[in-house]
């Protein structure tokens, strides 16, 4: 587990995000993910700058590719990338693009940006780890509620439950951006496919932590983190 340092506590994240200039920052979309990302990296994920190639590390996949500012700020706060890279965000010679690139950003597991790709890749990652006999690493993927309009997600949801992928975890940032409502809500869609599910306030760190760490033997886990629609 990573630890918080005096220099880079949660309160420092808005300042780190402010260092990133340029067009197409998708600031509101980034802000909507900030709390969930922080709780994951500060208290849940077994990752670190010295473990980016460790087979036993947890895998975090950012599928919500819009607004990587929050992701980069958290990675900088946790020592994955140097702070002096933040001001160059989005420039032609910066590794910090408008969508994260796994080849250029330490700690990034996938290149994201194509909506609906992250959850299917997470299912494949969990299956791959199982096939290799690596049963300890957990796979986490963060998606936006609007991504659930993409059919590829529902194929992944329908497969993962019956497959018993209990190392797979999905966080859905729900800011009421989806075009199509889900009968019973987002969590009900996952539960119908055999997932363990919870819905919490996406700004409440203790509620997020409790939901992220709740036991779910034999089933994949999903958490809906609800934020205000104005947060993007």
């Amino acid at each position: 587990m990573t630890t918080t340092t005096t220099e880079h506590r949660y309160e420092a994240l808005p300042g780190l995000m402010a260092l990133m200039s340029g067009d197409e920052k998708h600031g509101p979309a980034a802000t909507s993910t900030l709390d969930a990302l922080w709780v994951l990296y500060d208290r849940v994920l077994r990752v670190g700058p010295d473990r980016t190639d460790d087979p036993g590390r947890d895998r975090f996949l950012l599928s919500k590719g819009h607004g990587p500012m929050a992701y980069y700020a958290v990675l900088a706060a946790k020592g994955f990338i140097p702070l002096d890279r933040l001001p160059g965000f989005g420039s032609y010679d910066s590794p910090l693009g408008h969508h994260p690139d796994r080849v250029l950003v330490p700690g990034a597991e996938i290149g994201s940006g194509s909506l609906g790709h992250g959850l299917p890749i997470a299912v494949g990652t969990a299956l791959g780890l199982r096939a290799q006999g690596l049963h300890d690493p957990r796979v986490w993927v963060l998606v936006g509620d609007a991504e659930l309009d993409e059919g590829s997600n529902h194929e992944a949801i329908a497969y993962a439950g019956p497959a018993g992928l209990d190392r797979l975890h999905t966080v859905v940032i729900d800011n009421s951006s989806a075009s199509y409502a889900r009968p019973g809500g987002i969590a009900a869609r996952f539960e119908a496919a055999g997932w363990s599910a919870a819905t919490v306030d996406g700004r409440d760190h203790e509620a997020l932590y409790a939901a992220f760490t709740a036991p779910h033997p034999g089933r994949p886990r999903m958490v809906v983190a609800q934020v205000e629609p104005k947060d993007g």
Side-chain angles (χ1 to χ4, degrees):
M1 182 187 301
T2 54
T3 57
T4 308
T5 65
T6 302
E7 302 81 40
H8 303 125
R9 294 186 182 276
Y10 170 79
E11 291 76 12
L13 295 180
L16 296 180
M17 290 175 66
L19 293 175
M20 290 176 258
S21 59
D23 297 329
E24 299 182 15
K25 293 193 293 184
H26 297 294
T31 302
S32 71
T33 69
L34 188 61
D35 296 274
L37 283 170
W38 178 256
V39 173
L40 283 172
Y41 272 89
D42 191 54
R43 302 172 63 180
V44 178
L45 294 174
R46 294 170 297 186
V47 296
D50 57 341
R51 298 188 63 186
T52 56
D53 295 321
D54 181 356
R57 72 190 184 282
D58 288 343
R59 273 69 165 174
F60 174 77
L61 284 59
L62 180 69
S63 185
K64 184 177 170 62
H66 270 184
M69 293 173 63
Y71 184 48
Y72 294 151
V74 170
L75 289 179
K78 292 301 179 182
F80 287 86
I81 56 178
L83 298 184
D84 59 9
R85 288 190 183 174
L86 299 180
F89 163 72
S91 61
Y92 77 94
D93 60 348
S94 173
L96 307 183
H98 294 303
H99 299 290
D101 184 330
R102 68 176 299 273
V103 177
L104 301 177
V105 181
E109 298 284 353
I110 61 171
S112 57
S114 298
L115 295 180
H117 279 44
L119 184 49
I121 293 173
V123 168
T125 302
L127 286 170
L129 290 170
R130 175 188 283 185
Q132 295 176 72
L134 296 172
H135 301 296
D136 192 43
R138 300 167 300 186
V139 180
W140 290 81
V141 57
L142 186 147
V143 307
D145 63 321
E147 283 191 82
L148 297 181
D149 291 341
E150 301 288 341
S152 56
N153 288 294
H154 296 279
E155 295 179 11
I157 293 167
Y159 179 87
L165 296 181
D166 57 2
R167 307 310 287 168
L168 175 64
H169 306 73
T170 300
V171 182
V172 180
I173 303 297
D174 179 12
N175 48 38
S176 301
S177 297
S179 299
Y180 306 103
R182 304 290 164 197
I186 295 173
R189 169 67 187 92
F190 284 78
E191 289 176 324
W195 291 58
S196 167
T199 300
V200 299
D201 180 346
R203 299 298 187 198
D204 186 329
H205 290 196
E206 294 307 317
L208 287 166
Y209 177 73
F212 291 164
T213 57
H216 51 97
R219 296 193 289 168
R221 175 70 169 169
M222 73 83 61
V223 176
V224 180
Q226 294 182 322
V227 298
E228 292 295 325
K230 66 181 180 180
D231 287 334

